[in-house]
Amino acid sequence: MESLRISGLIPPCNSISNVRHSRILLLNSKVIGQQGFASLWRRGGSCRRRMSLSLRAGSVSGGNESALGGLQEEEDKKKKEKGLVLGTGRDVSGSAIGLHLIPSSGETQVIDSSGEDATTETVEDATTVTEEEADDTDEKEEALAKVTYNIVFVTSEAAPYSKTGGLADVCGSLPIALAARGHRVMVVSPRYLNGTSLDKIYASAVDLDTHVKIYCFGGEQEVAFFHQYRERVDWVFVDHPSFHRPGNPYGDIYGAFGDNQFRFTLLCHAACEAPLVLPLGGYTYGENSLFIVNDWHAGLVPVLLAAKYRPYGVYKDARSILVIHNLAHQGVEPAATYKNLGLPPQWYGALEWIFPTWARTHALDTGEAVNILKGAIVTADRILTVSQGYSWEITTGEGGYGLHELLSSRKSVLNGITNGIDVAEWDPSSDEYIDFHYSADDLSGKVKCKVALQKELDLPVRPDCPLIGFIGRLDYQKGIDLIRLTMPEILQDDVQFVMLGSGDPQYENWMKATESAYRNKFRGWGGFNVPISHRITAGCDILLMPSRFEPCGLNQLYAMRYGTVPVVHATGGLRDTVENFNPYAQGGSGEGTGWAFSPLTKESMLGTLRVAVQTFKEHKSSWEGLMKRGMQKDFTWESSAVKYEQVFEWVFLDPPYIG
Ligand SMILES: Nc1ncnc2c1ncn2[C@@H]1O[C@H](COP(=O)(O)OP(=O)(O)O[C@H]2O[C@H](CO)[C@@H](O)[C@H](O)[C@H]2O)[C@@H](O)[C@H]1O
């Protein structure tokens, strides 16, 4: 099977490639018509068929040549006739920014997979249903999305298959939350094999025996697809020899892999082919898919949709949402590599990036580069970040990493949605990695976890001594330099400190040296270890996160769920999620879940940490209040997933940004 090949010249519309895709187009239209994966469910006597997202998406764009076009007007007309008011707020650029869907009382809109208004049953029909059943039905129906979509996540990592950080957590759990709400969800990521026991994680993924040829890097690359259906999600793994090597997804002990641009170019091309060629569960996802592309590694996807597929009539009704988890990494390589990416030459401008003079390395350096994340920003239909705070920060000179003006120019389609967490994996009442369990109602297991951690780390066993933790990449982003600078003063106090982190070797060495110097107070664990991260989260009293910038941050969410009080720098998602402690609020019972300090200085961090330590030691009931309020916060994906759905509605209301 061949992927569309882009050469210097754009082939005429009746080229072989085009014929192949036209066939796929027809095939998919047929498949969608037959399959009705707009599933039917019937509860409490009322019947609702979920509208096929594919049909809906096809109809929204309008003016397209697909067999599905023109349905939107019909649909809207019918909705109005049935008393449904669909009001769309739009900003000055004409982009949808708000939507109101008001059902008329007593009626249920039923639209079948062909876009037809199948039935309208009044609630009176439900005479045989008891009140209790009806209540139950309402709750269940609320938990499901009103409109469902075919969603394709593209990501370089997804837990539990591959993980170096928070991106994996999000791409391992948000798809499951969306699938549980009725969407059809595929996650496309590489099939990394590094020759260790970790490779077993892919054992349940079967070879789909579908091979696609991709034209890039001056030749033809063949990729294969493996598949596992788990928790209602299609986990698709792209297989290629370049994903089989020791190390993590991006590098090994010698540093970042030199061919990452090649590897993630393959991922993006393969991800664009997957919805067209993989008959998962018997049916392809089809051309009206919604791509959710995460960070620069997936950033070529919206560019490919616009430059490689749409000129040939393919993916005209697809949409893409770029999710920025970390703007600091943009996939920047020399300009000369553009020709390798499998894009038409005239699309160079989309990726073109010129470094300012001060950032150039020598007199002959012209500063010309290609920037994949920039390409995604200028071609994606909408852009999301993982907290509201960060969505604003990236439009500022301080937080925009050179892309702030570009991001500001797309402000009307830029939103922030705070990440949820996997509450099944991170649950102190059932966590498989900790020996003692507890909850907000019974905190007694918490101190047992602390003692167990002190024993495991060979620290003096002292339940009364405040235990401070840090978990994360040993990286400038995480403020690791500030921790290092402040550590001698932190350790002057009667506290214990434990760090778990991997990354910059100089910091791993520093942790070892600090451990030798402060045997009774400090432990540093260099490496990536999920069980230990759970035990530190459960066993510590305080979690320190002095991140320089933090798009969302997950560890503070895990900490709060485990009754571990976060002390964070007030930035991005940390500021959005950690509520400052105020002991005098609520008639003296206090409010807040931790401390968010600012500015990011040694004095400010140390001062705040000391207030937290003093509160732990001297104000037991205040401390318990802090713990309980954090533990009772709703960090489930459910509420974030509903917000994502709102953005899905918006993205299909607008025509594709690059048509
Ligand atoms: N040595 C170690 N051993 C075991 N586990 C370790 C570990 N180091 C880190 N982890 C784990 O990796 C994850 C890190 O998540 P974060 O959100 O804090 O940061 P990250 O910067 O990777 O993610 C980016 O993407 C996420 C997701 O959107 C954003 O929340 C974040 O702000 C952004 O920087 C957590 O699950 C943490 O427990």
Side-chain angles (χ1 to χ4, degrees):
M1 201 170 284
E2 291 186 24
S3 146
L4 188 62
R5 177 178 192 161
I6 302 286
S7 63
L9 283 173
I10 302 292
C13 281
N14 60 357
S15 70
I16 293 172
S17 312
N18 194 40
V19 169
R20 189 183 82 80
H21 282 290
S22 302
R23 278 181 52 215
I24 291 170
L25 179 69
L26 289 174
L27 176 72
N28 285 335
S29 307
K30 226 170 117 194
V31 163
I32 292 161
Q34 289 166 350
Q35 84 188 98
F37 41 71
S39 62
L40 174 75
W41 76 91
R42 183 181 282 274
R43 286 202 187 105
S46 77
C47 167
R48 175 181 296 166
R49 280 186 216 167
R50 264 175 275 172
M51 184 172 19
S52 158
L53 66 99
S54 308
L55 286 170
R56 188 173 190 290
S59 62
V60 167
S61 65
N64 63 66
E65 291 164 14
S66 115
L68 310 172
L71 281 175
Q72 179 66 39
E73 262 184 40
E74 274 287 312
E75 217 171 75
D76 285 348
K77 214 172 117 206
K78 283 173 186 160
K79 277 180 186 161
K80 282 194 183 121
E81 279 167 13
K82 297 293 168 205
L84 283 168
V85 179
L86 188 66
T88 310
R90 287 180 182 273
D91 68 4
V92 283
S93 72
S95 293
I97 55 168
L99 177 93
H100 322 283
L101 192 63
I102 308 165
S104 63
S105 62
E107 284 187 349
T108 304
Q109 175 79 4
V110 182
I111 300 168
D112 74 8
S113 60
S114 66
E116 290 292 308
D117 184 354
T119 56
T120 300
E121 294 179 14
T122 59
V123 286
E124 286 91 87
D125 294 340
T127 45
T128 52
V129 181
T130 65
E131 228 166 75
E132 270 168 32
E133 279 172 333
D135 285 352
D136 185 42
T137 300
D138 285 349
E139 266 169 36
K140 282 176 187 159
E141 288 203 350
E142 242 174 47
L144 289 161
K146 292 201 172 55
V147 180
T148 59
Y149 298 90
N150 279 6
I151 301 168
V152 182
F153 277 80
V154 188
T155 176
S156 57
E157 47 182 291
Y161 305 99
S162 48
K163 171 168 170 174
T164 69
L167 171 63
D169 290 357
V170 173
C171 291
S173 50
L174 174 58
I176 294 171
L178 289 169
R181 293 180 55 75
H183 302 282
R184 193 175 182 215
V185 188
M186 176 196 311
V187 180
V188 185
S189 66
R191 183 169 174 265
Y192 301 110
L193 299 179
N194 64 13
T196 71
S197 59
L198 295 176
D199 296 349
K200 284 198 296 249
I201 194 81
Y202 296 103
S204 309
V206 297
D207 188 346
L208 291 174
D209 204 20
T210 303
H211 296 248
V212 168
K213 288 197 175 102
I214 288 165
Y215 297 95
C216 62
F217 284 77
E220 193 180 272
Q221 301 294 334
E222 188 169 296
V223 297
F225 295 93
F226 284 66
H227 172 246
Q228 181 181 7
Y229 185 69
R230 182 178 60 80
E231 298 204 58
R232 299 195 203 176
V233 173
D234 290 302
W235 303 91
V236 170
F237 304 105
V238 178
D239 197 48
H240 184 271
S242 66
F243 297 131
H244 305 171
R245 60 176 67 151
N248 72 30
Y250 315 111
D252 58 15
I253 49 167
Y254 304 106
F257 296 133
D259 59 350
N260 279 341
Q261 190 196 48
F262 167 69
R263 297 163 79 232
F264 296 118
T265 296
L266 285 184
L267 171 68
C268 292
H269 279 269
C272 289
E273 289 294 308
L276 302 176
V277 303
L278 300 181
L280 303 173
Y283 303 102
T284 62
Y285 273 56
E287 288 195 46
N288 304 317
S289 296
L290 168 59
F291 289 88
I292 300 192
V293 304
N294 296 276
D295 279 351
W296 81 263
H297 321 99
L300 275 184
V301 169
V303 189
L304 289 167
L305 295 181
K308 177 179 168 183
Y309 291 92
R310 287 203 180 115
Y312 303 99
V314 181
Y315 280 135
K316 276 197 168 311
D317 298 323
R319 296 290 190 283
S320 58
I321 299 174
L322 167 67
V323 184
I324 299 175
H325 299 261
N326 195 333
L327 196 60
H329 303 281
Q330 301 178 1
V332 180
E333 295 286 349
T337 62
Y338 178 81
K339 64 180 186 312
N340 294 331
L341 303 177
L343 289 166
Q346 65 271 30
W347 278 81
Y348 175 71
L351 271 67
E352 183 180 25
W353 183 249
I354 303 194
F355 281 103
T357 321
W358 61 262
R360 300 180 194 172
T361 49
H362 52 81
L364 298 178
D365 183 351
T366 58
E368 289 170 55
V370 287
N371 181 328
I372 291 181
L373 191 67
K374 182 229 160 179
I377 291 168
V378 300
T379 52
D381 295 304
R382 293 196 77 97
I383 302 168
L384 276 174
T385 63
V386 286
S387 69
Q388 280 191 352
Y390 192 61
S391 73
W392 170 76
E393 282 175 16
I394 61 174
T395 62
T396 67
E398 292 77 24
Y401 275 85
L403 291 170
H404 55 286
E405 284 177 5
L406 204 56
L407 285 160
S408 298
S409 75
R410 301 220 59 200
K411 233 174 185 166
S412 62
V413 292
L414 172 64
N415 297 96
I417 300 177
T418 304
N419 287 330
I421 60 173
D422 182 339
V423 289
E425 190 200 339
W426 292 91
D427 182 354
S429 67
S430 58
D431 189 323
E432 60 174 309
Y433 299 119
I434 59 179
D435 289 336
F436 305 96
H437 294 124
Y438 58 96
S439 66
D441 296 330
D442 176 9
L443 288 167
S444 57
K446 170 89 177 156
V447 73
K448 293 180 187 159
C449 288
K450 177 176 180 177
V451 168
L453 182 65
Q454 286 171 327
K455 282 185 184 155
E456 180 175 5
L457 299 175
D458 199 21
L459 280 167
V461 175
R462 288 188 51 206
D464 60 309
C465 178
L467 181 52
I468 306 166
F470 169 90
I471 302 168
R473 286 181 284 111
L474 304 177
D475 182 294
Y476 179 77
Q477 177 195 343
K478 303 293 177 186
I480 185 71
D481 50 328
L482 192 66
I483 296 183
R484 177 179 175 167
L485 185 71
T486 318
M487 192 56 74
E489 280 159 78
I490 294 174
L491 295 180
Q492 274 173 17
D493 296 339
D494 181 26
V495 298
Q496 294 177 344
F497 206 115
V498 51
M499 294 183 66
L500 168 66
S502 57
D504 192 335
Q506 63 154 317
Y507 287 109
E508 292 198 23
N509 293 336
W510 163 75
M511 288 198 305
K512 281 185 201 144
T514 309
E515 191 170 305
S516 309
Y518 299 90
R519 284 299 306 160
N520 285 336
K521 289 192 164 184
F522 183 91
R523 289 292 177 275
W525 192 303
F528 197 90
N529 191 317
V530 172
I532 294 290
S533 74
H534 282 243
R535 292 204 279 277
I536 290 177
T537 305
C540 285
D541 302 300
I542 296 168
L543 188 86
L544 179 62
M545 288 184 77
S547 304
R548 200 157 260 108
F549 67 95
E550 197 59 83
C552 175
L554 296 174
N555 287 310
Q556 85 280 10
L557 304 182
Y558 301 146
M560 285 187 267
R561 189 155 161 77
Y562 280 65
T564 301
V565 178
V567 173
V568 304
H569 174 217
T571 183
L574 297 176
R575 179 172 32 207
D576 287 3
T577 56
V578 177
E579 202 187 322
N580 252 316
F581 175 52
N582 176 359
Y584 308 110
Q586 311 286 343
S589 54
E591 69 180 14
T593 56
W595 283 269
F597 65 85
S598 183
L600 185 66
T601 59
K602 181 176 161 182
E603 294 71 29
S604 158
M605 183 176 91
L606 192 61
T608 311
L609 209 47
R610 284 185 169 150
V611 171
V613 164
Q614 192 184 4
T615 309
F616 171 83
K617 285 187 168 168
E618 296 170 17
H619 303 280
K620 294 288 175 202
S621 68
S622 288
W623 194 260
E624 200 172 301
L626 271 163
M627 289 168 76
K628 285 189 173 169
R629 285 190 294 274
M631 293 177 87
Q632 282 155 355
K633 283 243 164 200
D634 175 16
F635 295 125
T636 58
W637 268 112
E638 188 63 21
S639 45
S640 307
V642 172
K643 290 181 188 145
Y644 267 83
E645 281 166 354
Q646 174 67 90
V647 176
F648 300 165
E649 296 267 6
W650 291 340
V651 77
F652 277 110
L653 280 170
D654 288 327
Y657 184 56
I658 309 284

